[in-house]
Amino acid sequence: MLAEIILPLPLAQTYTYIVPQEFEPQISVGQRVAVNFGAKKIYIGIVLRLFECGIEKKYKNILQVLDNEPIITEQQLKLWQTLSEYYCAPLGDIYTAAVPADLRKDKRVKSRSKPIKADCEAKILTEQQTETYQKILELFKEKSTVLLHGITSSGKTEIYIQLIINALQQEKNALFLTPEIGLTSQLMERLQRIFGEKLLVYHSKITDSQRVKVWETLLQNTENKVVIGTRSSVFLPFKNLGLIVIDEEHDPSFKQSDASPRYNAKSVAGFLAKDFGAKILLGSATPSVESYSNAQFGKYGLAMLETRYNDIQLPEIQLIDTKESYRKKRMKGHFSLELIDVISETLAKKEQVILFQNRRGFSLALECPECGWVQKCKNCDVPLTYHRLSNSLSCHYCGYTVGNQRFCRECGCVGLTDKGFGTEQVQSEAQLLFPNFKVARLDSDAAKKKNSFAEIIATFEHKNIDILVGTQIVSKGIDFSNVGLAAILNADNLMNFPDFRAHENAFQTLVQISGRAGRQERGKVAVQTFSPDLPLLNFVCSNDYPNFFKAQMAERHLFNYPPYCRLTKISLKHKDKDFVRSAAEKLAEILRENADFSVLGPDNPPVEKVQFLFYRDILLKISNLISYKKVNAEIFNAIAKFRQIPGYKYVMISINVDV
Ligand code: ADP
Ligand code: ZN
Ligand code: ZN
C-alpha cells in the first residue's frame, strides 16, 4: 500500500511513501505519520490518500504512524484542497497554518483548564433586538448568509449570543470569529459567564498546548461547543457546525496578507458553511462595501438594528478645520483651540476623553532643515520613526532601531526637525495642556509589556485615567460607559493611502471611534481635518452609511474595483532593484497574453524596499464571471513560462488572491 502525504513545507506537491505492512491495519486518512524527507530530516506529515500500486517505485517507507484515529477530518482535508486551489497556496502551507505546532511536533501536552460555571445570564432582548433576531432567523430559512447592519452600541453582541444559544439547542457547534484586537477581556468574560465550559478560546496569544486541547476537544465532539477566536479558528476540526458569527466583519485582519496561505477567513467560513449546511451571520456598524453589495443584490439577507441600547442618541460630531486654525494661529501644538475647549468641558463634567492618532512614536521622521535629508532605515525604503521615551529611531517595517543622534549625515547640520506626529507626541502635548489630569497612552508600544494592555484598560475603566491617547487599538470593541468625548487629531492621514479601500477604511475607523463616545448618555466627537468639505467626512457626521456606500460603489464601478471585479496581486522580490524591475516587466508581458484578466503594472508597492529586498507588484483585475480555477491555472502557466527564461528561475514570487 502507498500513501500520499502532506508535508509541513511550502511545496506545491504532496509526496508518496510506502506503508510498511505492520502499519496497514492502523493507518487511515487524516492521521499523522513520521517520514524522512531531504537530507535525513524527519517530518510529521498527514495522510491525504491511501492507494494500492502494482509497480513498486523507489519510494521511502513511512517510519511511524502516530495516531490511532484521524486528527484531521475528511471535511478539513477537502477544505484544505479547495483553499490550496483558490489561494494558489501549497497544501503544506495550509497544513502549517491550520494545525497547532505541538501537533506537528507530536508533543501532546495535557493542559489544565479553569472551568467557569455557566449561569446562563444572557440578557433579555429589547423589543427592537427581538424583532431583528426574529428577522435573522426568518432570513436564514432562505439565505445561508445574513448581514446584520447595526449601529455601534445597538446590542449586536446580545443578538449573537441568542443565535449561538439557538444553535447549541439544536445540538450544533458554533464559531464566533472576531478581529485580532476584538478579543477584549470584556467580551470574553461576558461569553464565559454565559457559556462556561462550553466556550473554547482560540487565537494567537494562547499557548500551543491550549491550542492542541481545543483541537482534541472538538475532535472528540462529546458535547456541543462554542469556539471564539481569530481568523485561524476556521481551520479547527469541526464536526457539526451550525453557525458562524463574524463580528466586525469589515475588519481587515480577517485576511492574512503577509504569509501564505493568504486566506480571508470570511471566504473560508463560506466554504465551511457550505460543507456543513451551516449559517453565517456577518455583523458590523460599518459593513464592508463587498458584503453590503452582496446584501443589496440579494446574495445575503440584510437585517438592521438602528437604535442604540437604551435609545441613547449617536454622538454629535464636530468637524474642525485645522487649515483655518493654523492660519488664524488658533493651534497649540497639534490641538486646535476648539478641541481644547471640548476636552475641557468634558473633563469638567468628570467624563473621560479618548484621543485617536493612527501612528505611534513621537514624530514620523526627522528631517534636516538645511538640506532636507531624512534618516531612513538601512534595510527598508522608509524613514525611521522617532521614539522620544526610548530616545531612539526605529523602523516600523523591520524593527531596525538606532540611538538618536540629532545631526544631519549629509551636511552636518544639528537640530533636525520633527515631521508628522504620533501618539507619544499627542500624549506629551495633552499632558502639558491639561497638567492636572491623568493622561495615558495605549498603542502597540505601550502594550508590549506583558499584561500592560489589560492593565491600562482596567485603569481607564476604573476612571483613574482621564485622557487616553491611542492608535487603532482604542477604536474597537472597548465598551466604556464614561467616555464623553472621542477626538481624532488628524483625519487626513487616515484617508491618504494609495489603496482603493482607503476611504472605506477611513469611514469605518472614524465611525468606530465615534462609537466609543457616549454609550451611557449622548457623547461628543471632534474630528480635526485639513479637508472638512470631503463628502466622506460628511457621511461620517450624518452617520449616512447608505450614501457612503453609493459613493463608494460609483467610484469602484468607474475604476473597476471590487465588488465589480476580483483582484489578485503578484509580487516579485529580489535583492537587486534593476533585476526585479526587468523580471516583473517580463512576467507582466507574459500575463498579458491572456484575455481573461487585465494586467496592471508592474508598479512599486508603497514601500519599495523591505529588509534588503526590492518589491514589484503586478495587479490582475479579473471578471467575476470567470472561474478561479481557470484564472489560477493561467497564472501558474504564465509563471512556469517565465521561470524557463534563463536567470528568472529563482526570483521569489508570491500570489495574493482577493486583495
Ligand atoms: P454593539 O456590539 O452593537 O456595539 P453591545 O452588544 O456591545 O453593542 O451593547 C452595548 C451595551 O448595551 C453593552 O454594555 C450591553 O451590555 C448593553 N446591552 C445591549 N443590549 C442589552 C439588553 N437587551 N439588555 C441589557 N443590556 C444590553
Ligand atoms: Zn542636512
Ligand atoms: Zn526597516
Side-chain angles (χ1 to χ4, degrees):
M1 193 177 359
L2 294 176
E4 189 181 338
I5 306 292
I6 309 170
L7 294 174
L9 296 167
L11 301 169
Q13 65 189 99
T14 49
Y15 289 84
T16 304
Y17 287 84
I18 298 166
V19 182
Q21 239 165 23
E22 75 248 46
F23 296 142
E24 279 192 18
Q26 183 195 352
I27 196 165
S28 70
V29 169
Q31 286 178 355
R32 293 172 304 165
V33 291
V35 292
N36 265 327
F37 184 79
K40 287 191 190 150
K41 271 208 130 178
I42 294 177
Y43 288 98
I44 296 196
I46 303 285
V47 181
L48 178 64
R49 201 164 66 92
L50 291 165
F51 57 103
E52 301 287 342
C53 181
I55 325 140
E56 295 284 309
K57 278 219 234 154
K58 270 204 296 173
Y59 295 122
K60 288 181 190 156
N61 275 348
I62 284 175
L63 303 175
Q64 208 183 331
V65 178
L66 300 169
D67 301 302
N68 293 317
E69 297 289 332
I71 68 143
I72 312 293
T73 64
E74 274 180 40
Q75 263 158 322
Q76 282 177 296
L77 286 174
K78 213 170 98 196
L79 178 70
W80 289 9
Q81 289 172 87
T82 307
L83 296 180
S84 168
E85 284 184 21
Y86 188 87
Y87 288 110
C88 304
L91 262 183
D93 277 356
I94 294 169
Y95 165 31
T96 313
V99 177
D102 276 2
L103 283 179
R104 283 182 271 121
K105 288 187 294 214
D106 191 37
K107 266 197 293 169
R108 293 203 178 197
V109 192
K110 290 274 167 282
S111 65
R112 300 160 283 124
S113 64
K114 261 211 257 110
I116 298 168
K117 279 269 175 309
D119 59 8
C120 257
E121 57 142 73
K123 300 207 160 84
I124 296 162
L125 295 187
T126 63
E127 213 174 294
Q128 254 118 8
Q129 289 168 345
T130 309
E131 233 171 71
T132 305
Y133 170 70
Q134 297 295 355
K135 170 98 193 256
I136 294 169
L137 291 183
E138 203 52 44
L139 286 166
F140 273 155
K141 288 185 186 155
E142 287 183 13
K143 313 269 180 189
S144 55
T145 303
V146 172
L147 172 65
L148 168 60
H149 180 202
I151 60 173
T152 51
S153 207
S154 56
K156 292 184 289 298
T157 317
E158 304 304 326
I159 290 185
Y160 304 151
I161 290 168
Q162 292 300 330
L163 287 168
I164 293 169
I165 292 174
N166 185 38
L168 292 174
Q169 280 166 350
Q170 293 172 32
E171 311 277 303
K172 303 271 186 171
N173 288 314
L175 169 62
F176 187 144
L177 283 176
T178 91
E180 291 295 337
I181 49 183
L183 263 178
T184 55
S185 52
Q186 277 176 329
L187 176 64
M188 299 299 287
E189 279 164 20
R190 172 123 186 71
L191 294 176
Q192 213 129 39
R193 275 203 299 277
I194 294 167
F195 297 108
E197 288 172 51
K198 284 186 185 301
L199 188 73
L200 302 174
V201 182
Y202 198 82
H203 56 81
S204 58
K205 297 273 155 56
I206 63 171
T207 64
D208 216 66
S209 59
Q210 287 170 316
R211 241 169 257 162
V212 172
K213 175 94 183 162
V214 172
W215 192 282
E216 288 177 343
T217 307
L218 285 173
L219 272 182
Q220 285 155 7
N221 194 34
T222 46
E223 186 201 15
N224 291 305
K225 297 284 182 188
V226 185
V227 178
I228 176 161
T230 49
R231 63 179 180 228
S232 63
S233 334
V234 292
F235 293 121
L236 285 166
F238 297 102
K239 292 252 165 112
N240 53 347
L241 192 61
L243 174 74
I244 305 175
V245 171
I246 306 181
D247 188 24
E248 311 284 4
E249 70 86 25
H250 61 277
D251 196 278
S253 75
F254 288 120
K255 166 86 176 163
Q256 171 162 304
S257 302
D258 46 2
S260 172
R262 295 177 173 79
Y263 65 100
N264 188 330
K266 282 198 281 182
S267 311
V268 184
F271 290 120
L272 260 184
K274 196 165 170 210
D275 209 19
F276 281 98
K279 301 293 180 190
I280 299 181
L281 182 77
L282 302 166
S284 176
T286 51
S288 63
V289 169
E290 277 106 323
S291 294
Y292 201 77
S293 88
N294 277 332
Q296 292 291 304
F297 294 119
K299 188 173 171 202
Y300 298 168
L302 179 65
M304 318 267 281
L305 204 47
E306 291 173 290
T307 47
R308 282 186 143 186
Y309 177 65
N310 265 343
D311 281 329
I312 294 160
Q313 278 183 287
L314 281 171
E316 177 195 328
I317 304 182
Q318 180 188 359
L319 287 183
I320 301 168
D321 183 348
T322 28
K323 205 162 60 214
E324 200 56 19
S325 302
Y326 273 110
R327 200 172 58 81
K328 293 187 176 151
K329 303 215 166 17
R330 292 170 57 81
M331 293 291 288
K332 285 189 179 169
H334 296 93
F335 289 70
S336 61
L337 297 189
E338 287 95 330
L339 178 56
I340 293 172
D341 281 349
V342 273
I343 296 176
S344 307
E345 280 165 26
T346 309
L347 294 173
K349 284 194 281 180
K350 300 219 162 13
E351 290 175 349
Q352 289 160 293
V353 174
I354 286 180
L355 298 179
F356 174 85
Q357 171 64 0
N358 69 337
R359 304 296 293 268
R360 61 197 166 87
F362 189 83
S363 55
L364 309 186
L366 294 180
E367 193 185 77
C368 171
E370 296 291 325
C371 72
W373 176 84
V374 169
Q375 183 155 0
K376 287 191 171 176
C377 177
K378 70 175 172 65
N379 310 327
C380 316
D381 186 30
V382 288
L384 293 172
T385 300
Y386 170 47
H387 293 257
R388 197 169 72 175
L389 287 178
S390 52
N391 195 29
S392 61
L393 294 160
S394 74
C395 171
H396 289 184
Y397 281 82
C398 75
Y400 170 75
T401 301
V402 280
N404 172 37
Q405 304 157 314
R406 291 185 85 111
F407 73 91
C408 173
R409 304 298 140 79
E410 283 293 321
C411 71
C413 163
V414 284
L416 302 180
T417 43
D418 292 300
K419 283 279 156 194
F421 64 104
T423 43
E424 268 189 26
Q425 192 165 166
V426 176
Q427 181 188 14
S428 99
E429 289 184 359
Q431 192 63 79
L432 283 174
L433 289 166
F434 302 97
N436 301 322
F437 292 89
K438 179 107 182 31
V439 184
R441 181 167 49 88
L442 185 57
D443 55 24
S444 55
D445 292 324
K448 235 174 240 158
K449 273 183 264 147
K450 201 172 181 324
N451 296 330
S452 61
F453 178 83
E455 249 167 58
I456 297 170
I457 296 274
T459 317
F460 191 69
E461 203 169 0
H462 293 124
K463 303 182 190 162
N464 293 325
I465 294 170
D466 302 297
I467 301 177
L468 184 64
V469 179
T471 50
Q472 225 78 355
I473 287 184
V474 299
S475 73
K476 304 209 175 144
I478 306 177
D479 183 11
F480 300 122
S481 52
N482 194 44
V483 176
L485 171 73
I488 290 107
L489 271 293
N490 178 349
D492 306 85
N493 59 15
L494 279 174
M495 300 180 278
N496 301 336
F497 281 105
D499 184 309
F500 76 97
R501 285 201 189 89
H503 274 211
E504 177 182 348
N505 292 339
F507 179 85
Q508 287 159 349
T509 304
L510 289 167
V511 172
Q512 296 290 344
I513 298 164
S514 308
R516 299 310 113 208
R519 286 168 88 94
Q520 289 288 332
E521 51 186 279
R522 192 173 194 207
K524 285 193 172 174
V525 174
V527 180
Q528 294 195 142
T529 174
F530 284 93
S531 31
D533 296 327
L534 266 188
L536 180 85
L537 292 177
N538 293 297
F539 296 142
V540 172
C541 290
S542 48
N543 191 43
D544 190 351
Y545 183 87
N547 274 315
F548 151 77
F549 173 74
K550 261 194 217 150
Q552 277 297 305
M553 288 295 272
E555 256 182 51
R556 308 256 178 120
H557 188 246
L558 189 62
F559 298 106
N560 192 27
Y561 274 110
Y564 292 100
C565 68
R566 287 173 292 153
L567 296 180
T568 286
K569 188 169 79 182
I570 301 178
S571 305
L572 291 85
K573 57 181 172 177
H574 196 269
K575 59 185 190 314
D576 186 297
K577 184 172 170 174
D578 293 328
F579 181 79
V580 76
R581 282 180 173 231
S582 57
E585 288 296 343
K586 188 69 205 169
L587 180 57
E589 189 187 310
I590 298 173
L591 284 162
R592 285 202 171 90
E593 291 165 12
N594 288 288
D596 281 338
F597 39 73
S598 57
V599 181
L600 276 72
D603 275 322
N604 282 343
V607 178
E608 191 188 0
K609 179 186 168 201
V610 179
Q611 290 217 301
F612 295 113
L613 293 170
F614 288 90
Y615 285 71
R616 292 288 272 175
D617 288 344
I618 297 169
L619 196 63
L620 307 183
K621 285 186 171 173
I622 304 154
S623 153
N624 291 331
L625 303 174
I626 301 170
S627 84
Y628 69 84
K629 290 191 182 180
K630 183 154 186 271
V631 170
N632 291 349
E634 283 170 10
I635 293 173
F636 278 125
N637 284 340
I639 291 176
K641 202 166 161 192
F642 167 82
R643 292 233 186 265
Q644 279 164 12
I645 299 168
Y648 290 159
K649 199 169 173 192
Y650 298 111
V651 184
M652 283 178 276
I653 297 178
S654 60
I655 303 172
N656 191 350
V657 175
D658 291 342
V659 287

